[in-house]
């Protein structure tokens, strides 16, 4: 690279960082005050882009039309965000931590289908910015003038936010709530209004970030999820709740990406390294490194101790043999119903139930939320596939060894993860999952690249769907029984104590991290067993078994069923898998229907499905007594 | 005692009963279709319209085997695991005769392998991966569309004619882009010794950082560019590259960019002079296509996209196979698919017995801009059968047979 191309790539990186900063600043603001991990933030960005497209087409492609379209789109998105807060989230602030995530996930599904319905499936290429169409020449190279404008908008918005946060009463309240929201409430500040206003501001930023991309990015339906991942990374790298941190992180990541592309393919000691391929994963590498070195992000501070996040978790009750039998017997008889497909679906549910139960152990009782649990599921699946196809091991051996591979990965990843807590820990697990995903995706000659591995079929004696179902049921039931057994052992009790009061636990001389690390390995191995089972039931596997989407599915299953109960994750896995299968078949707009169903569950049962049913039963008993 | 006479009489009675009760024999022929409708809506919504039109026409003509044709269609979520489950549901719960559809290569390959396991015919409509019919080809899987290899080969004559020395390459970083790039480099090097590939950019699918990519390519000072971008990536690349002067004095070849799905969103920014494969729907005057075009426009009040043709032709293949087999038995269907010939809006095609690839061609031409819209100019039809490797080579590429 010459000096002039380095300069240009730097400018490219800065221009790319501008929108990323706006979106992330909004996310950071919302998280800081409300503690909500807002999955729908990317959808708001997408709405900003679509909205700006329509408005600019209506106002005309003039400078005035362009900028008023952008501004109005941002405001409308802000209103949409405020509406989401008032109509949905406000009702569930008392629910267990992270439950709001489920609601925002449902909103993602609904918004995507609304966008499809309103704007159609085709990509919409917006106008280039009127008045800024001529490129600028810098050292014989050309760069669009609009990019330079974007580079200026970033610091401008940062400045405005800084003024708002430090010079207004609203800003003081926001900063106070970010530090200690209970205290703010105790001082008589109307929390509802504060939260709505923060949601409005955060959504305006997301909408503005999207609208400003109009000249650079066609409006399309994939934007929501691709942006939300980037925004999470930037927010965490910068430090949650820190706006200057988000600014710094956005620039770091934007510039790093531009340079990966700029460097291109190089020969180092005879080895060809394609840096452009790194763009898939570079932000997650940065996040992993930053979190390992600075556990609270670049400019973040350790989060204030939360005195009260929803209701305290009720004590766990181990389900007795009778309860287990009531569920197991019908399952054993299921193949007798004669519906072959039901057996296939039940096999899927068995895999996901084990997967969800393993996630539940670390995120519920052990209090370590994982956003990247698919890493272990996927590594188990890949280990099984590779041992079977490449090493030529018999299917049974591949299935038995796969959990070891996943457990080994958890041993390494877990060592880093247990050093963190809360959302930072969750994001580090996500980083590891994405790094694993990109290895599976890129290492063509070994893992089969984007196509994955096909021809992973079970041995002859398990070839029938019924036989395989019994195998899956046995492995899942055995794994779940092991997880429950562990939970009620002294080991499990220590984990729960570590969630509720790490300080006291360490004071009595327990080294909590070692317990947490061991828990990571255990759940990793069991998730790996679920993944290996899944791979052999499908006959193939591809990088989608390590994807963010699958990690999210696992979270949804656990939250849907109820994180405070043992059977909740199983019910959640069954309901989610069944529902998706059923709804997808019945309607074209299955995402919206699915989202609305989840929203209904969220609003009616804020403790999750099983938690809600238990509460109902308890109330009924009290009424009779 | 069962004598020959009573047996025959009973058999006769049964046949009579069968004839007298048309209701049972008139149960529709059900076929299973699965695709990633929500992941690639721009291509697949027109595709769905295409097959709906074909089904309507088949049934207006009296169906197939004297029975009504019915398609059971499902969304596969763009994910191999889910696709295999959906395929299972279609076979065991919906009792479809066989499977067709799919879009991304990983889903296509997973369903193909599932079809082999279940010994069921699978017509892969859209996935372009060469592996579906070659490396991982199997006895039950047939593919309709011209593969990545074929479409890349179609661009080679023009590319070699230009005698450009320095080539830069940009592609979406997954199987399709990788194999297009590999095929292009191999074929062009063979035709034009001494050609240099001076830069190569792999962009994440759907998330290209177009400004930086355009700049990096420009830095390598190429004489020509080969790209396999499509969709939003293509639109971004065109805009950034144009603004940064990347395409000035540089010839660009771009697979698929002439398909209305990807060309039309570019509007007046469509890059003039690019060499592409695509579908000049308004200008194809063959009788097969005229008929299809008129029917499509009458039904949907919209013009067809390439996806519409693929959807339409998939049903044509399925129906032709059933008619040729005269039955819905898998082995007969598979035998019928081998060497099956039928007409499509793109002319006659044949499913080669050799590797189960259809000879459906594609249109090759250059992009022009007229009335604020992109269109294909100087186009010609490239028949698929002329752009496949020699038979010996194909046999080596396809170990399964």
């Amino acid at each position: 690279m010459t000096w002039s191309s380095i300069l240009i790539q730097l400018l490219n990186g800065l221009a790319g960082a501008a929108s990323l900063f706006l979106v992330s600043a909004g996310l950071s603001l919302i998280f800081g005050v409300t503690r909500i991990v807002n999955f729908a933030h990317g959808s708001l960005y997408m709405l900003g882009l679509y909205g700006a497209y329509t408005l600019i087409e209506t106002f005309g492609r003039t400078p005035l039309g362009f900028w008023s379209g952008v501004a109005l789109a941002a405001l409308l998105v802000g209103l949409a965000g405020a509406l989401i807060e008032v109509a949905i989230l406000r009702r569930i602030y008392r629910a267990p931590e992270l439950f709001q995530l489920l609601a925002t996930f449902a909103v993602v599904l609904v918004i995507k289908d609304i966008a499809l319905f309103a704007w159609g499936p085709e990509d919409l290429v917006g106008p280039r910015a009127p008045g800024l169409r001529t490129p600028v020449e810098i050292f014989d190279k050309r760069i669009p003038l609009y990019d330079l404008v974007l580079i200026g908008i970033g610091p401008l918005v940062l400045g405005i936010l800084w003024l708002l946060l430090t010079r207004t009463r609203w800003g003081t309240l926001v900063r106070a709530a970010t530090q200690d929201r209970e205290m703010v409430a105790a001082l008589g500040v109307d929390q509802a209004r504060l939260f709505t206003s923060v949601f409005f501001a955060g959504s305006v930023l997301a909408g503005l970030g999207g609208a400003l991309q109009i000249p650079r990015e066609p409006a399309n339906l994939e934007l929501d999820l691709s942006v939300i991942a980037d925004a999470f990374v930037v927010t965490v790298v910068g430090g949650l709740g820190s706006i200057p941190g988000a600014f710094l992180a956005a620039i770091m990541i934007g510039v790093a990406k531009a340079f990966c592309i700029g460097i291109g393919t190089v020969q180092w000691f005879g080895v060809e390294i394609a840096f452009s391929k790194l763009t898939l994963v570079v932000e997650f590498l940065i996040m992993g490194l930053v979190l390992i070195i600075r556990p609270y992000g670049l400019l973040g501070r350790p989060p204030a101790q939360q005195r009260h996040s929803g209701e305290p978790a009720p004590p766990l009750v181990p389900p007795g043999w009778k309860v287990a039998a009531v569920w197991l017997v019908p399952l054993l008889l299921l193949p007798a119903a004669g519906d072959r497909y039901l057996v296939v679906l039940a096999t899927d549910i068995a895999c996901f139930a084990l997967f969800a139960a393993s996630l539940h152990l670390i995120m519920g009782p052990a209090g370590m939320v994982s956003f990247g649990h698919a890493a272990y599921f996927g590594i188990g699946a890949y280990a099984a596939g590779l041992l079977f196809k490449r090493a030529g091991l018999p299917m049974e051996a591949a299935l038995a060894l796969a959990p070891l591979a996943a457990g080994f990965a958890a041993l390494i990843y877990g060592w880093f993860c247990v050093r963190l807590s809360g959302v930072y820990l969750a994001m580090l697990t996500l980083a590891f999952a994405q790094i694993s995903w990109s290895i599976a995706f890129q290492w063509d000659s070994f893992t089969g690249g984007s196509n994955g591995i096909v021809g992973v079929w079970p041995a002859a004696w398990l070839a029938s769907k019924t036989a395989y179902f019994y195998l899956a049921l046995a492995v899942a039931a055995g794994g779940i029984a092991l997880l429950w057994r562990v939970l009620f052992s002294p080991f499990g009790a220590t984990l729960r104590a570590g969630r509720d009061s790490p300080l006291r636990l360490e004071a009595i001389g327990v080294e909590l991290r070692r317990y947490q690390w061991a828990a990571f390995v255990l759940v990793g191995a069991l998730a790996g067993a679920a993944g290996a089972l899944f791979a052999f039931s499908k006959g193939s596997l591809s990088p989608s078994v390590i994807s963010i989407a699958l990690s999210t599915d696992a979270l949804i299953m656990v939250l849907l069923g109820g994180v405070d109960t043992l059977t909740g994750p199983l019910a959640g896995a069954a309901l989610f898998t069944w529902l998706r299968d059923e709804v997808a078949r019945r309607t074209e707009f299955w995402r919206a229907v699915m989202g609305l169903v989840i929203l209904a569950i969220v609003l009616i049962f804020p403790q999750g499905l099983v938690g809600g049913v238990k509460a109902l039963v308890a109330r009924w008993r009290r009424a009779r007594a | 005692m069962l004598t020959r006479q009573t047996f025959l009489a009973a058999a006769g009675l049964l046949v009579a009963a069968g004839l007298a009760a048309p209701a049972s024999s008139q149960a529709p022929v059900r076929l299973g279709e699965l695709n990633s409708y929500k992941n690639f809506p721009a291509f697949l919504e027109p595709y769905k319209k295409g097959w709906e039109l074909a089904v309507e026409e088949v049934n207006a003509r009296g169906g197939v085997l004297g029975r009504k044709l019915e398609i059971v269609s499902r969304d596969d979520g763009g994910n191999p695991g889910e696709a295999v489950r959906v395929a299972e549901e279609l076979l065991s719960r919906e009792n479809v005769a066989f499977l067709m559809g799919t879009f991304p290569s990983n889903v296509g390959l997973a369903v193909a392998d599932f079809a082999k396991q279940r010994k069921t015919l699978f017509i892969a409509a859209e996935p372009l991966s060469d592996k579906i019919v070659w490396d991982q080809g199997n006895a039950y899987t047939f593919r309709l569309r011209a593969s990545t290899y074929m479409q890349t080969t179609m661009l080679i004559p023009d590319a070699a004619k230009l005698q450009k020395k320095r080539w830069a390459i940009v592609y979406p970083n997954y199987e399709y882009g990788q194999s297009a790039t590999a095929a292009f480099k191999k074929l062009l090097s063979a035709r034009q010794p001494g050609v240099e590939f001076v830069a190569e950019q792999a962009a994440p699918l759907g998330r290209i950082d177009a400004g930086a990519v355009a700049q990096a390519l420009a830095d390598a000072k190429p004489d020509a560019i080969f790209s396999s971008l499509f969709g939003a990536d293509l639109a971004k690349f065109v805009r950034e590259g144009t603004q940064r002067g990347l395409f000035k004095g540089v010839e660009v070849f771009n697979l698929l960019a002439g398909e209305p799905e990807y060309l039309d969103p570019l509007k007046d920014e469509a890059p003039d002079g690019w060499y592409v494969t695509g579908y000049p729907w308004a200008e194809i005057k063959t009788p097969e296509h005229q008929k299809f075009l008129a029917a499509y426009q009458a039904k949907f009040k919209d013009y067809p996209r390439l996806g519409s043709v693929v959807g339409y032709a998939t049903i044509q293949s399925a129906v032709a196979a059933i008619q040729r087999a005269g039955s819905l038995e898998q082995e007969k269907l598979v035998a019928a698919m081998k060497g099956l010939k039928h007409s499509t809006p793109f002319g006659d095609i044949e499913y080669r017995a050799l590797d189960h690839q259809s000879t459906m061609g594609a249109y090759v031409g250059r992009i022009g801009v007229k009335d604020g819209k992109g269109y294909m100019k100087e186009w010609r039809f490239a028949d698929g059968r002329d752009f496949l490797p020699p038979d010996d080579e194909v046999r080596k590429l396809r170990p399964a047979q």
Side-chain angles (χ1 to χ4, degrees):
Chain A
M1 289 172 88
T2 60
W3 286 110
S4 63
S5 50
I6 288 176
L7 177 70
I8 295 286
Q9 292 296 18
L10 190 68
L11 293 176
N12 286 332
L14 291 175
S19 270
L20 200 52
F21 162 64
L22 295 187
V23 182
S24 314
L27 190 66
S28 206
L29 204 60
I30 291 176
F31 178 84
V33 174
T34 65
R35 301 276 155 211
I36 289 181
V37 178
N38 183 17
F39 253 65
H41 212 65
S43 307
L44 295 172
Y45 169 94
M46 183 173 81
L47 281 184
L49 243 171
Y50 271 112
Y53 177 86
T54 305
L55 290 171
I56 294 169
E57 293 298 292
T58 319
F59 296 164
R61 297 184 168 194
T62 58
L64 180 68
F66 180 86
W67 291 105
S68 53
V70 167
L72 189 58
L75 284 177
L76 288 176
V77 171
L79 288 179
L83 183 72
I84 293 170
E85 198 275 337
V86 172
I88 302 163
L89 297 171
R90 182 175 291 182
R91 289 160 211 284
I92 50 172
Y93 282 124
R94 290 255 142 193
E97 203 183 357
L98 276 179
F99 194 69
Q100 297 87 4
L101 187 151
L102 189 58
T104 58
F105 176 77
V107 172
V108 171
L109 295 175
V110 174
I111 290 184
K112 199 172 198 130
D113 267 358
I114 290 178
L116 174 64
F117 181 79
W119 284 283
E122 214 156 89
D123 297 347
L124 301 176
V125 180
R128 283 159 60 181
L132 304 171
R133 293 184 65 139
T134 35
V136 186
E137 295 247 356
I138 300 175
F139 299 119
D140 77 330
K141 296 194 186 342
R142 301 196 329 192
I143 185 162
L145 185 55
Y146 187 74
D147 285 21
L148 299 182
V149 172
L150 273 185
I151 293 175
I153 286 179
L156 184 70
V157 171
L158 179 66
I160 293 173
L161 279 176
W162 182 78
L163 283 178
L164 272 178
L165 287 175
T166 54
R167 295 282 182 274
T168 65
R169 179 175 155 76
W170 178 79
T172 312
L173 290 179
V174 166
R175 281 184 300 136
T178 306
Q179 271 184 15
D180 192 335
R181 75 177 191 196
E182 283 80 24
M183 183 59 83
V184 174
L187 292 173
V189 174
D190 183 351
Q191 279 217 1
R193 271 174 60 188
L194 181 63
F195 281 19
T196 310
S197 66
V198 165
F199 240 90
F200 174 76
S203 307
V204 167
L205 286 172
L208 186 62
L212 282 174
Q213 285 292 312
I214 265 287
R216 291 161 50 93
E217 175 103 51
N220 66 79
L221 295 166
E222 300 299 314
L223 285 172
D224 49 358
L225 291 182
S226 72
V227 167
I228 191 65
D230 286 354
F232 273 149
V233 170
V234 168
T235 313
V236 166
V237 168
L240 285 167
S242 163
I243 308 281
F247 184 71
L248 208 62
I251 286 181
M252 229 169 103
I253 285 168
V255 171
K257 276 193 173 176
F259 275 101
C260 278
I261 294 166
I263 293 169
T265 311
V266 279
Q267 297 268 353
W268 273 345
F269 309 110
V271 184
E272 199 168 83
I273 301 173
F275 273 90
S276 70
K277 290 188 175 177
L278 269 183
T279 45
L280 271 183
V281 69
V282 66
E283 69 222 70
F284 293 96
L285 286 173
I286 291 177
M287 178 165 79
L289 276 178
V290 167
L291 285 183
I292 287 168
I293 298 165
R294 290 187 64 92
Y296 301 109
L298 292 175
L299 299 184
R301 272 179 290 183
Q305 189 69 40
Q306 272 194 41
R307 279 176 291 273
H308 181 84
S309 66
E311 306 293 325
L316 290 171
V317 190
W321 269 110
K322 279 184 203 155
V323 181
V326 167
W327 285 98
L328 271 177
V329 171
L331 281 175
L332 285 172
L333 295 176
L334 186 78
D339 185 344
R340 188 185 151 96
Y341 178 64
L342 202 60
V343 176
V344 171
L345 193 63
T347 309
D348 269 20
I349 291 177
C351 297
F352 288 133
L354 179 56
F355 182 39
S358 70
L359 174 63
H360 170 249
L361 188 141
I362 48 167
M363 81 178 259
M368 299 183 287
V369 178
S370 167
F371 282 179
H373 207 52
Y376 314 112
F377 186 89
I379 289 172
Y382 266 95
L386 290 170
L387 287 169
F388 180 68
K389 291 294 279 190
R390 297 229 188 276
L393 286 188
M395 173 254 172
E396 296 86 347
L399 195 61
L401 290 175
L404 295 184
F408 182 70
L411 188 75
I412 297 169
Y413 297 170
W415 190 83
F416 293 102
C417 292
V418 296
R419 263 136 247 277
L420 307 179
S421 62
V423 176
Y424 292 99
L425 185 156
M427 293 307 292
L428 188 58
T429 60
L430 176 66
F432 282 124
Q434 273 308 93
I435 291 165
S436 314
W437 174 85
S438 81
I439 292 172
F441 192 89
Q442 312 258 24
W443 195 359
D444 229 24
S445 56
F446 187 64
T447 60
S450 59
N451 283 336
I453 305 169
V454 297
V456 188
W457 291 104
W461 64 280
L462 289 166
S464 94
K465 296 290 166 199
T466 307
Y468 199 84
F469 167 67
Y470 283 128
L471 173 78
L473 191 63
V475 173
I480 292 165
L482 174 67
L483 284 168
W484 289 356
R485 176 74 193 78
V486 164
L487 263 185
F488 292 98
S489 68
F491 175 80
T494 314
L495 282 178
R496 280 186 279 161
R499 170 196 61 184
D500 293 338
S501 186
L503 220 57
R504 284 183 214 169
L505 196 69
E506 300 212 344
I508 58 170
V510 176
E511 209 186 325
L512 178 59
R513 275 184 194 168
R514 283 168 67 178
Y515 284 81
Q516 293 180 326
W517 192 21
F520 246 94
V521 176
L522 173 74
V523 301
L526 286 172
L533 266 184
F534 183 77
F536 278 110
S537 80
K538 299 295 173 196
S540 62
L541 57 117
S542 73
S544 61
V545 292
I546 321 184
S547 61
I548 297 183
L550 190 65
S551 293
T552 317
D553 283 356
L555 275 175
I556 300 305
M557 289 170 191
V558 173
L559 292 171
L560 201 57
V563 70
D564 291 336
T565 60
L566 277 180
T567 44
L570 314 186
L575 180 74
F576 187 70
T577 312
W578 175 80
L579 199 63
R580 185 159 55 187
D581 179 69
E582 203 58 27
V583 176
R585 194 176 321 141
R586 305 226 180 277
T587 153
E588 194 189 335
F589 291 97
W590 60 270
R591 284 201 184 117
V593 175
M594 188 89 184
L596 291 174
V597 170
I598 294 178
L599 273 184
I601 294 175
V602 164
L603 293 178
I604 301 170
F605 299 117
Q607 306 100 320
L609 205 57
V610 173
V613 170
K614 280 196 171 157
L616 282 182
V617 170
R619 195 195 286 173
W620 180 66
R621 283 206 180 127
R622 264 202 309 274
R624 275 195 355 157
Chain B
M1 205 178 104
L2 185 72
T3 65
R4 206 177 127 92
Q5 275 80 4
T6 49
F7 177 75
L8 281 179
L13 271 177
L14 275 176
V15 170
L19 289 175
S24 62
S25 66
Q26 296 269 306
V29 170
R30 287 157 75 85
L31 304 181
E33 197 279 336
L34 65 162
N35 234 316
S36 317
Y37 288 104
K38 283 287 161 99
N39 301 75
F40 303 94
F43 191 93
L44 290 172
E45 294 221 341
Y47 162 90
K48 184 168 197 176
K49 288 183 176 162
W51 67 249
E52 280 172 354
L53 173 66
V55 170
E56 192 179 283
E57 288 180 0
V58 168
N59 284 331
R61 284 199 306 267
V64 57
L65 301 180
R67 292 155 66 180
K68 205 171 150 259
L69 181 66
E70 193 181 307
I71 305 295
V72 189
S73 174
R74 295 278 186 266
D75 194 318
D76 64 24
N79 167 333
E82 222 171 302
V84 168
R85 194 188 70 225
V86 166
E88 180 67 56
E89 192 250 345
L90 287 170
L91 287 184
S92 44
R93 193 176 269 178
E94 299 294 344
N95 290 312
V96 299
F98 56 85
L99 300 169
M100 53 199 185
T102 74
F103 185 101
S105 10
N106 55 358
V107 174
L109 284 165
V111 175
D113 201 57
F114 169 81
K116 173 183 160 200
Q117 189 76 3
R118 287 291 303 262
K119 300 198 179 353
T120 302
L121 172 63
F122 169 48
I123 304 177
E126 168 63 20
L128 299 180
S129 170
D130 300 322
K131 295 198 169 88
I132 278 201
V133 292
W134 294 346
D135 309 41
Q136 288 162 8
N138 68 56
Y140 293 89
T141 302
F142 294 79
R143 191 244 310 275
L144 172 69
R145 255 202 96 181
S147 63
T148 309
Y149 177 90
M150 290 160 77
Q151 300 210 38
T152 307
T153 317
M154 289 169 189
L155 289 178
I156 289 289
D158 287 326
K161 207 185 308 166
L162 295 174
Q163 287 296 319
K164 298 282 181 189
K165 198 166 156 46
R166 297 169 63 83
W167 283 81
I169 295 183
V170 55
Y171 61 94
N173 189 8
Y174 76 112
E175 213 256 17
Y176 150 75
Q178 291 156 2
S179 24
T181 301
F184 185 81
K185 280 160 87 174
K186 183 170 156 239
L187 292 164
L188 190 65
S189 306
R191 283 281 290 273
Q192 186 191 331
V195 63
E196 272 180 69
F197 298 99
V198 291
E200 201 172 306
Q201 285 286 334
L205 176 62
R207 308 180 56 187
I208 190 173
D209 192 344
V213 167
Q215 188 56 53
L217 293 184
D219 283 348
K221 302 204 172 26
D223 306 325
I225 295 173
F226 174 71
S227 148
S228 43
L229 300 173
F230 64 96
D233 288 336
L234 175 66
K236 284 160 79 175
F237 180 63
V238 167
R239 180 169 279 181
E240 290 290 338
T242 311
Q243 293 188 76
R244 288 160 193 262
L246 168 64
F247 306 132
K248 211 168 263 170
V250 173
E251 301 288 352
V252 184
F253 288 70
N254 200 127
L255 280 182
L256 314 186
E259 297 177 3
E261 287 87 335
Y262 310 130
L263 181 58
D264 294 353
L266 300 177
K267 293 180 226 158
D268 58 333
E269 288 172 59
D272 194 32
W274 282 24
Y275 294 83
V276 294
T277 62
Y279 173 38
W281 62 272
E283 299 180 14
I284 303 171
K285 301 292 182 211
T286 60
E288 308 93 84
H289 187 263
Q290 295 280 43
K291 196 173 140 252
F292 163 75
L293 182 63
Y296 192 92
Q297 286 183 316
K299 186 167 161 66
F300 298 111
K301 316 277 173 271
D302 193 5
Y303 60 93
R305 317 295 202 273
L306 186 68
S308 319
V309 178
V310 174
Y312 188 83
T314 307
I315 297 295
Q316 290 184 313
S317 300
V319 169
I322 296 171
Q323 271 162 352
R324 191 174 182 210
S327 127
L328 294 176
E329 277 171 51
Q330 296 304 332
E331 299 307 325
K332 286 189 185 158
L333 284 168
V334 168
M337 280 299 291
K338 287 187 185 182
L340 178 75
K341 288 182 191 159
H342 68 84
S343 152
T344 72
F346 282 7
D348 291 345
I349 65 165
E350 178 186 348
Y351 283 89
R352 309 190 333 154
L354 177 68
D355 60 359
H356 295 189
Q357 169 67 45
S358 103
T359 59
M360 187 186 217
Y363 290 84
V364 182
R366 303 181 71 177
I367 292 179
V369 187
K370 173 170 72 180
D371 310 327
K373 274 188 304 210
Y375 73 107
M376 269 178 82
K377 61 184 180 188
E378 301 162 29
W379 56 265
R380 62 177 191 278
F381 181 64
D383 193 333
R385 75 188 73 228
D386 304 331
F387 296 92
L388 281 154
D391 290 0
D392 290 347
E393 218 173 288
V394 170
R395 275 187 205 100
K396 264 181 250 155
L397 287 168
R398 187 177 163 91
Q401 270 182 319

